[in-house]
Amino acid sequence: MTSNLDNINYDEFDFIDMGCGTADRGYFLAKRVFGAGRCLGIDIDDDKVQIALREIENNPELCENYTVICEDMTNFGGENVKDKFRFATANHFLEHVPGFSVAKDILDAAINASREFVFVRQPWFDNDAELFKMGLKTYYSDWNGHLNPLTSYNFYRMGRDFKLKGSIKDFVILGLTKIQNSSNPIIHPLASPFNEHNYDPIRHPYKDVNIEFEGLYKDICVFFIIDENSPIEDYIERLDVDYEVIYDSRMNSNDDDGEYVIDIDKLDFVDVGPGRNGASLIYGVAKFNGRNGLGIEYNPEFVENIINLSKIDGSRLQSHKVLCEDFFNVDTKSSEYYKKFRFTTAINFVQDLDNIDEVEDFISRCVDLSYDFVFLNQPSNEYHNYLENLGFKRPVHQKSRFMNDEFIIILKRMQNEGKIVDFALYETGLIEDSTNPVVKPLDDNNSEVIKFNNVYKDTIVFVQTADVIDIQSLADCLLGRKHLIYSSKN
């Protein structure tokens, strides 16, 4: 048994069985429904792996067709495992992992490793609150091992995010085996002990067996579709249970023009972190004559909102595209992105980075993308102590407070290494006195008006990546009073 993925001969396997348990359940379901061949079973718990190994030893078919290893499924998210398997299954597994984000990371890795689809099946948790109000519960909703009661909406969020990211084509959510009424043995009264199986009127407290249900199922099933030619409908029929389609992204798409396509060659600038409404994409057009921008945004809800706004007739976002991705995961040195864009902007983004090393990495990535210049804007942190001494503050949300000198040190080093041509820092947005709404008193009862001495709202950074660009001309595009802090030319 090995935990080194590099030692696995992937050509030997047809699919992954995640959280393999006793091995037999996942393998025989996949064989019957998906026509599966040899399986690689994965479990992070070595005790469960040992149970699976004993089951395999006692079953000749499993012994021939099933290999199990102790491994963290999220390790299958790398390029070395990409597309190595036809599909992956998570059969009554994700409800046991500690939370939504862990389940999503596991599915992200499974999608990375699969060519056709990822299949999920687990208990149905959507109606827990409704049953609770009736004095009822399902036995699997009161099970200690079920740490993660994912609902159909949770799976919708995951599928939407994967689809926006471009890692899947579509997704389908099904409810399997309808529970008609409270006579079903899955249904227990609240007074039943936890960790029970089917209801037994002899062993368990009384329950009313005449309560009718709507929209309650035994299991939920999700197909994350990677290859649009996968015969998903055939697979659904082979599950051989009654089902209802809860959501099908192929039927519910908001994209009236077909697949959302990002053509890098048609885009002339990048905006990192365009936010909920894509305002900084519009800023790139207004200030620097950008035409078609690519927003790179890690928040899928923001991405979806920008895409929807771009479809409105007359919207200023119509010519722009948005990519759902963590900027630090974008390979800016690849031929797809390197020096493909005239400029890159990042407005109110840098202050949410963790440390100055991350800032340097961020700027380097922006420089990779841009053949003319990079523009950064963040709240100025130079006047924090000055304002506090006067009894005032800037209530700005930011993870870190990076100072102008820190930017200068980074950019001088990049200039010395030949990565950039020149750079300049400015301060903009003069705050004349305490009546300015961006300033708040430390004491809410303080209504005194105080004049400030050269306090500015924002720091802006221009990084020149081409000899033909004039930073001063770029700065002149910005309205309002500006104060030059530092220029590498001067």
Side-chain angles (χ1 to χ4, degrees), residues 116-117 172 223-225 227-237 250:
E116 294 187 8
F117 63 91
V172 180
F223 285 92
F224 296 101
I225 304 169
D227 181 352
E228 58 192 351
N229 295 316
S230 298
I232 300 301
E233 276 65 37
D234 292 345
Y235 295 152
I236 292 172
E237 292 301 324
R250 299 169 299 180

Side-chain angles (χ1 to χ4, degrees), residues 5-6 42 49 140 197 232 245 255 302 311 377 385 452 459 490:
L5 299 186
D6 294 332
I42 310 292
V49 169
Y140 47 72
H197 282 285
I232 300 301
V245 177
D255 188 353
F302 292 178
K311 297 173 185 175
N377 179 303
N385 293 336
F452 298 143
T459 293
N490 224 336

Side-chain angles (χ1 to χ4, degrees), residues 62-114:
L62 287 177
C63 201
E64 183 178 349
N65 293 290
Y66 202 105
T67 298
V68 60
I69 63 172
C70 186
E71 186 61 73
D72 185 339
M73 186 59 211
T74 59
N75 290 335
F76 283 72
E79 283 296 319
N80 60 321
V81 196
K82 186 169 178 59
D83 301 336
K84 295 295 186 181
F85 301 86
R86 184 162 68 91
F87 65 94
T89 63
N91 194 26
H92 289 270
F93 164 55
L94 294 178
E95 67 268 31
H96 297 281
V97 306
F100 175 91
S101 61
V102 176
K104 188 177 180 184
D105 287 344
I106 289 170
L107 287 173
D108 196 21
I111 289 167
N112 175 76
S114 304

Side-chain angles (χ1 to χ4, degrees), residues 219-251:
D219 286 342
I220 190 169
C221 167
V222 187
F223 285 92
F224 296 101
I225 304 169
I226 302 163
D227 181 352
E228 58 192 351
N229 295 316
S230 298
I232 300 301
E233 276 65 37
D234 292 345
Y235 295 152
I236 292 172
E237 292 301 324
R238 289 181 205 162
L239 289 171
D240 198 26
V241 294
D242 65 281
Y243 67 89
E244 181 176 343
V245 177
I246 306 301
Y247 185 88
D248 187 337
S249 67
R250 299 169 299 180
M251 306 298 294

Side-chain angles (χ1 to χ4, degrees), residues 138 193 209 428:
T138 59
V209 298
T428 64

Side-chain angles (χ1 to χ4, degrees), residues 141-174:
S141 292
D142 198 7
W143 195 271
N144 281 353
H146 292 173
L147 309 175
N148 190 27
L150 295 168
T151 66
S152 57
Y153 178 65
N154 293 141
F155 283 113
Y156 163 78
R157 286 176 58 199
M158 292 185 194
R160 175 200 63 193
D161 296 358
F162 294 145
K163 193 168 189 286
L164 287 171
K165 185 179 176 181
S167 56
I168 65 171
K169 293 290 185 181
D170 281 293
F171 61 101
V172 180
I173 302 172
L174 308 170

